[in-house]
Amino acid sequence: MEAPLPVLSLLLVLLAVGWGDGAGAAWAMSPGGCEHVQSTADCRRKWLRSVPRNLQGDIEELLLDDNTIQVLGRASLLSYHQLKHLSLTKNRMELIEPGAFLGSQGLHALSLADNLLFTNYSITAAALSALPALRTLDLAGNQLTEGMVSVLLSNLSSLESLSVARNVIMRLDSSVFTNLTQLLELNLEKNYIFEIDQAFEGLQRLQRLNIAYNYMTCIVDFNLIQLRVLNVSYNIIEWFLALESDDLFELEVLDLSHNQLLFFPVLPRQSKLHSLLLKDNKMSFYQLLPNGTSLENVTVQFLLIDGNSTNITTVKLWDEVCYSNLSSLRLLDMSQNQFWYLPEGFLAKMPALTHLKLNQNCLETFHLSEWDPLALLTDLDLSQNLLTELWEDVGAGPALPNLQLFNLSTNMLRALPAGIFTHTKQITTVDLSYNRLDLCPQPAVLGRSAPCVDIRGLATLTRLSLAGCGLRDLGGHPFRGTALTHLDLSDNREALSGDLGWLRDLAATLQVLSLRNTNLSSTSADFSALQSLVGLDLSGNTLTALPTSLGALKLRSLDLRDNSLTALPADVAWRPLGRSLQELYLSRNPYNCCTLGWWKALQSMEHLLVPDKHEVTCNYDSQRLNAWVLPEPVLRDCRWRTADMALLYLVLTLPTCLTLLVAFTVVFLMLKPKLLKMVKRRCGVSSPY
Ligand SMILES: *[C@@H]1O[C@H](CO)[C@@H](O)[C@H](O)[C@H]1NC(C)=O
Ligand SMILES: *[C@@H]1O[C@H](CO)[C@@H](O)[C@H](O)[C@H]1NC(C)=O
Ligand SMILES: *[C@@H]1O[C@H](CO)[C@@H](O)[C@H](O)[C@H]1NC(C)=O
Ligand SMILES: *[C@@H]1O[C@H](CO)[C@@H](O)[C@H](O)[C@H]1NC(C)=O
Ligand SMILES: *[C@@H]1O[C@H](CO)[C@@H](O)[C@H](O)[C@H]1NC(C)=O
Ligand SMILES: *[C@@H]1O[C@H](CO)[C@@H](O)[C@H](O)[C@H]1NC(C)=O
Ligand SMILES: *[C@@H]1O[C@H](CO)[C@@H](O)[C@H](O)[C@H]1NC(C)=O
Ligand SMILES: *[C@@H]1O[C@H](CO)[C@@H](O)[C@H](O)[C@H]1NC(C)=O
Ligand SMILES: *[C@@H]1O[C@H](CO)[C@@H](O)[C@H](O)[C@H]1NC(C)=O
Ligand SMILES: *[C@@H]1O[C@H](CO)[C@@H](O)[C@H](O)[C@H]1NC(C)=O
Ligand SMILES: *[C@@H]1O[C@H](CO)[C@@H](O)[C@H](O)[C@H]1NC(C)=O
């Protein structure tokens, strides 16, 4: 017990020295604490209070993140002439002394994020202005106001990339970024900006601007022609109006998602826009009222009063002709808005579209005609709308020759237009879940034929969801000719009531099958044909025993939650199923606590993961116990009840047997003389007594 004490005190001495003054001392505290990898010195999380001085002189990159450096002192980098990249994030830095970068004229990337540079920003500004080659600067999280930013940046005209995210900037005007003529990228995320007035005029090379998570209410006369990426998501923008001009804007990505837009934005007339993100706004088109009234020719007059002169302007407010050239648009996300229709010809302006997301709106119809080009569209998401029909069933609909994913989940569709998949030679995934549909050929409904969805012969289709479609009886081979690998039939209480011959049509290809909540009760459901199956969801049914055909399958994932299982077969761990399983869900079944041998065996399988193992319960004398840790008395009692049952019977029956035996013997002995006599008489042999 003596040895640790000197070591401890030595450590304390070193610590005291380290916390005192002087860079060398701090470094001595953990000699060799920095790791050198090629030309990088990694000194992160070392409790340093200053820059170590005894690193290799030729390092180009120095990482000092997560230390406690408060002041970057004069000439503290003097010995590192080659330094190009310095990172000091998450220190407690309040001040960079002028001259701190003496000898580091080549520094071109400096990260000062998450410090306290607001404290002595004007002195720090002077220090920064001595970095003629600085190209990348990160000042995020330093509690800086726009005034401080303006001072800090005033002499950094070589900057190409700047982040002032997570500060307290509220207003930007032309004085803040004046000298940053080389700037390509500017990050203003997570400030409190509510007004921007000509702040980016001088930034002639700016390509990427991020103003996400601020308080902008509108963007009018957007005129940053050279900008390629504008991110204004998570603001409270109601209006986006680009300058009316025929100049070609370089804009490629515009992110206006999570705002309060009421109208489709007025985009630059000519641009290179390929991604337009408008998710989660309040947009709609207003020319048509839901009762059929058209506001097409309704005009509104604006009275503009400017000083003592007034002007009247007449505007067709609901005019929804989109004047922008959207011929390069590839991704359009209008999900989570209030669109209930799209104006005629709206999508025709976007011939290059590959991804169209219209989910979570209130679309009642979605009319596409054979003239709507959309020839390149691969993903179409119309889920969570109020669709009762797609385009009219007469004549040819759009060809959609490149469509791969079609999501129609959660609508009110009864059928799909006939021939909808005639030209979709690339289609792989169709989600029809939560509509009221029937598959063709549908079960004969007395006399009349109701509409149905025909996917037979759709050879490219691999993933199909029909969850919650109210399917009845899948007789007649509705999946014949498909190569389905993933099929979801969950939440169809009557789908499995009839012939299960359709399973054999998919035997060669089906890999993942969901039969959750399908009223599957019979243990006779025969899965033995599905030799390619690797994932099976049988949760939410009324299984009382594991279907025997499963034992021979080589599943990797099986879900048995919410059934009526009292036990799994004792040998399940040694069957092909047990040996192949990697993921098994078991909870919410009334297992018997005394027949958990299978559970023990499964627990010993190393490759098997039971994610809900702590929720597996079992029943014991009308109590529900956690099967993961059964109390010892229960285990003992169970041993009595099961393995030692024979002994118990023996013990119980032994007294009775003994009594009977004794009684029998007594009777026998009492009757013995008579018996002997009887025998003698019968045999006619006399014996001498
Ligand atoms: C830095 O700012 C603090 C608080 O504003 C002040 O007390 C201190 O004197 C300043 N340091 C220098 C070197 O000016
Ligand atoms: C910027 O540079 C000019 C001239 O070199 C100098 O007068 C001025 O003080 C500098 N500004 C800052 C904030 O250091
Ligand atoms: C721009 O830089 C020049 C010197 O490079 C400097 O004199 C001037 O003050 C700077 N402008 C602003 C607004 O800081
Ligand atoms: C815009 O910024 C937000 C917040 O940082 C981010 O989640 C989103 O991906 C960005 N958008 C684009 C198109 O990069
Ligand atoms: C449709 O609704 C608008 C506004 O609610 C109403 O002014 C108009 O008269 C209605 N038109 C018809 C034909 O009902
Ligand atoms: C609007 O006006 C144009 C011409 O002025 C006319 O052709 C069109 O039918 C009108 N639309 C409606 C809905 O009244
Ligand atoms: C409008 O007001 C300006 C001053 O605000 C005045 O000089 C000018 O004469 C006025 N014009 C008219 C037409 O009243
Ligand atoms: C009024 O409108 C005319 C023509 O549209 C325009 O030339 C003039 O500048 C406008 N005046 C004001 C005060 O907006
Ligand atoms: C739209 O822009 C493309 C080039 O991006 C050009 O080829 C096409 O002619 C333009 N269309 C119109 C109507 O201006
Ligand atoms: C279809 O959309 C629904 C809801 O929007 C979503 O849950 C589901 O994962 C989507 N299906 C596919 C195949 O992407
Ligand atoms: C579930 O199946 C049982 C027979 O297996 C049947 O009696 C019952 O009606 C079915 N329930 C539903 C909702 O179809």
Side-chain angles (χ1 to χ4, degrees):
M1 294 312 286
E2 299 293 334
L5 271 178
V7 176
L8 203 68
S9 43
L10 186 68
L11 222 112
L12 281 174
V13 168
L14 284 176
L15 271 174
V17 171
W19 283 85
D21 190 42
W27 182 233
M29 181 191 108
S30 49
C34 297
E35 276 171 45
H36 284 269
V37 181
Q38 286 166 349
S39 55
T40 299
D42 184 348
C43 309
R44 287 176 293 182
R45 286 177 291 277
K46 295 280 186 280
W47 296 95
L48 298 175
R49 295 202 64 196
S50 57
V51 180
R53 291 186 189 265
N54 53 355
L55 303 173
Q56 286 171 19
D58 60 349
I59 51 168
E60 292 180 7
E61 184 175 30
L62 176 53
L63 307 179
L64 287 163
D65 310 334
D66 285 298
N67 284 295
T68 54
I69 300 172
Q70 229 167 330
V71 175
L72 191 65
R74 196 179 307 272
S76 42
L77 299 163
L78 198 56
S79 27
Y80 311 124
H81 297 287
Q82 314 281 327
L83 205 59
K84 294 196 168 68
H85 184 164
L86 174 63
S87 183
L88 284 157
T89 56
K90 295 196 187 146
N91 279 275
R92 295 171 190 167
M93 205 142 48
E94 295 176 357
L95 172 67
I96 301 179
E97 287 179 0
F101 299 111
L102 222 66
S104 319
Q105 300 302 301
L107 198 68
H108 60 65
L110 176 59
S111 178
L112 299 169
D114 297 302
N115 283 293
L116 303 166
L117 290 181
F118 72 97
T119 329
N120 302 79
Y121 70 93
S122 50
I123 301 166
T124 299
L128 291 180
S129 71
L131 288 171
L134 197 62
R135 277 185 257 150
T136 304
L137 176 62
D138 189 349
L139 289 171
N142 274 292
Q143 302 178 39
L144 301 171
T145 63
E146 56 269 26
M148 299 177 184
V149 170
S150 170
V151 173
L152 282 164
L153 299 177
S154 55
N155 279 349
L156 295 176
S157 53
S158 58
L159 274 189
E160 292 175 1
S161 173
L162 170 66
S163 172
V164 280
R166 294 184 285 108
N167 281 294
V168 287
I169 301 168
M170 293 203 252
R171 233 192 124 260
L172 292 176
D173 60 28
S174 58
S175 67
V176 184
F177 304 116
T178 357
N179 272 349
L180 305 182
T181 49
Q182 302 300 307
L183 204 63
L184 299 170
E185 185 171 24
L186 176 57
N187 187 353
L188 291 162
E189 218 179 89
K190 295 186 180 152
N191 278 283
Y192 300 86
I193 302 170
F194 64 91
E195 193 180 353
I196 295 176
D197 184 16
Q198 318 253 315
F200 309 122
E201 308 297 299
L203 313 182
Q204 294 121 8
R205 296 184 67 203
L206 193 64
Q207 291 180 356
R208 310 170 75 85
L209 176 57
N210 184 350
I211 322 178
Y213 294 101
N214 277 287
Y215 294 91
M216 297 290 295
T217 53
C218 62
I219 292 183
V220 287
D221 288 346
F222 169 73
N223 62 352
L224 300 176
I225 288 178
Q226 77 293 345
L227 204 65
R228 292 202 187 154
V229 180
L230 175 60
N231 191 340
V232 220
S233 58
Y234 297 97
N235 278 266
I236 45 174
I237 291 183
E238 290 175 11
W239 297 90
F240 181 92
L241 305 172
L243 190 73
E244 287 192 38
S245 139
D246 285 324
D247 294 336
L248 176 61
F249 283 62
E250 297 293 323
L251 196 63
E252 291 169 6
V253 178
L254 176 56
D255 190 346
L256 284 165
S257 41
H258 309 284
N259 277 292
Q260 311 270 343
L261 287 173
L262 292 165
F263 297 88
F264 195 79
V266 177
L267 301 166
R269 285 198 194 141
Q270 301 288 341
S271 72
K272 299 179 178 173
L273 203 61
H274 63 65
S275 298
L276 178 55
L277 307 172
L278 302 168
K279 179 182 178 166
D280 186 20
N281 278 283
K282 298 180 172 171
M283 289 188 294
S284 181
F285 289 110
Y286 302 93
Q287 193 172 93
L288 275 180
L289 296 183
N291 64 12
T293 310
S294 168
L295 303 179
E296 187 183 341
N297 291 341
V298 174
T299 54
V300 177
Q301 290 185 325
F302 279 97
L303 191 64
L304 300 175
I305 304 170
D306 184 12
N308 49 9
S309 75
T310 58
N311 231 358
I312 295 174
T313 330
T314 306
V315 178
K316 275 186 163 184
L317 195 57
W318 315 125
D319 196 358
E320 48 202 29
V321 185
C322 179
Y323 295 105
S324 308
N325 182 348
L326 294 173
S327 60
S328 53
L329 197 63
R330 298 201 291 269
L331 165 62
L332 176 58
D333 185 349
M334 308 207 298
S335 58
Q336 295 186 40
N337 276 284
Q338 292 166 9
F339 293 108
W340 68 280
Y341 76 99
L342 298 183
E344 231 171 270
F346 178 73
L347 294 173
K349 302 199 59 140
M350 309 166 191
L353 213 56
T354 59
H355 290 69
L356 176 56
K357 291 172 72 66
L358 287 164
N359 46 305
Q360 287 172 272
N361 279 285
C362 15
L363 294 173
E364 289 169 9
T365 58
F366 181 76
H367 287 293
L368 283 181
S369 71
E370 61 187 304
W371 298 282
D372 281 305
L374 297 185
L376 302 176
L377 196 68
T378 61
D379 288 38
L380 177 53
D381 192 345
L382 294 171
S383 62
Q384 300 190 51
N385 277 288
L386 304 170
L387 294 173
T388 51
E389 60 166 12
L390 293 178
W391 46 90
E392 251 130 84
D393 214 351
V394 287
L400 302 175
N402 276 299
L403 196 64
Q404 290 168 16
L405 189 152
F406 196 5
N407 196 341
L408 287 164
S409 171
T410 324
N411 277 287
M412 295 155 75
L413 294 167
R414 302 298 315 248
L416 296 182
I420 181 171
F421 296 121
T422 315
H423 303 287
T424 56
K425 299 296 182 206
Q426 311 286 327
I427 191 100
T428 61
T429 307
V430 175
D431 192 337
L432 292 168
S433 53
Y434 304 100
N435 288 282
R436 297 296 293 189
L437 292 170
D438 277 313
L439 291 182
C440 308
Q442 51 165 146
V445 184
L446 291 168
R448 65 194 179 84
S449 69
C452 57
V453 176
D454 199 349
I455 55 155
R456 289 169 297 178
L458 209 52
T460 53
L461 192 65
T462 56
R463 289 166 185 255
L464 176 64
S465 175
L466 293 164
C469 284
L471 295 176
R472 280 163 292 141
D473 186 2
L474 297 172
H477 304 285
F479 306 117
R480 184 167 277 173
T482 66
L484 287 182
T485 59
H486 292 65
L487 177 61
D488 187 352
L489 291 173
S490 46
D491 297 324
N492 285 287
R493 304 280 300 170
E494 291 170 65
L496 304 183
S497 55
D499 175 20
L500 294 184
W502 55 269
L503 276 176
R504 279 191 300 281
D505 295 334
L506 300 175
T509 55
L510 198 62
Q511 292 168 15
V512 177
L513 175 63
S514 174
L515 296 175
R516 180 170 42 84
N517 192 20
T518 48
N519 198 22
L520 186 72
S521 62
S522 61
T523 50
S524 61
D526 189 3
F527 298 101
S528 52
L530 299 175
Q531 288 302 325
S532 313
L533 204 65
V534 293
L536 180 60
D537 184 351
L538 295 175
S539 61
N541 286 297
T542 48
L543 296 176
T544 50
L546 197 67
T548 40
S549 54
L550 286 184
L553 295 185
K554 297 200 181 80
L555 297 183
R556 288 206 293 267
S557 152
L558 177 62
D559 194 337
L560 294 169
R561 281 175 286 188
D562 278 309
N563 273 289
S564 308
L565 297 166
T566 53
L568 259 50
D571 62 348
V572 67
W574 296 278
R575 307 289 302 274
L577 176 67
R579 277 184 267 128
S580 63
L581 267 185
Q582 293 169 6
E583 189 179 54
L584 176 62
Y585 289 90
L586 288 167
S587 57
R588 301 200 285 273
N589 276 289
Y591 300 115
N592 182 344
C593 289
C594 289
T595 56
L596 286 177
W598 58 272
W599 170 233
K600 294 258 156 48
L602 286 178
Q603 276 172 336
S604 65
M605 312 292 283
E606 261 174 31
H607 54 85
L608 181 66
L609 186 71
V610 182
D612 59 346
K613 63 185 168 195
H614 295 289
E615 288 138 56
V616 179
T617 57
C618 60
N619 292 345
Y620 170 79
D621 278 352
S622 71
Q623 297 175 55
R624 188 179 297 167
L625 302 176
N626 188 334
W628 180 246
V629 275
L630 281 181
E632 187 55 32
V634 175
L635 289 174
R636 210 178 313 129
D637 190 40
C638 280
R639 274 198 291 277
W640 270 104
R641 290 189 191 194
T642 54
D644 300 337
M645 206 50 108
L647 190 65
L648 185 71
Y649 282 134
L650 193 66
V651 170
L652 283 178
T653 49
L654 202 60
T656 325
C657 291
L658 279 175
T659 320
L660 280 174
L661 193 68
V662 169
F664 185 73
T665 318
V666 169
V667 171
F668 177 77
L669 287 176
M670 278 164 62
L671 295 177
K672 194 176 163 196
K674 278 185 194 164
L675 274 173
L676 276 174
K677 264 183 215 152
M678 233 155 67
V679 171
K680 271 185 207 156
R681 215 179 296 133
R682 285 264 172 89
C683 301
V685 183
S686 61
S687 74
Y689 279 95

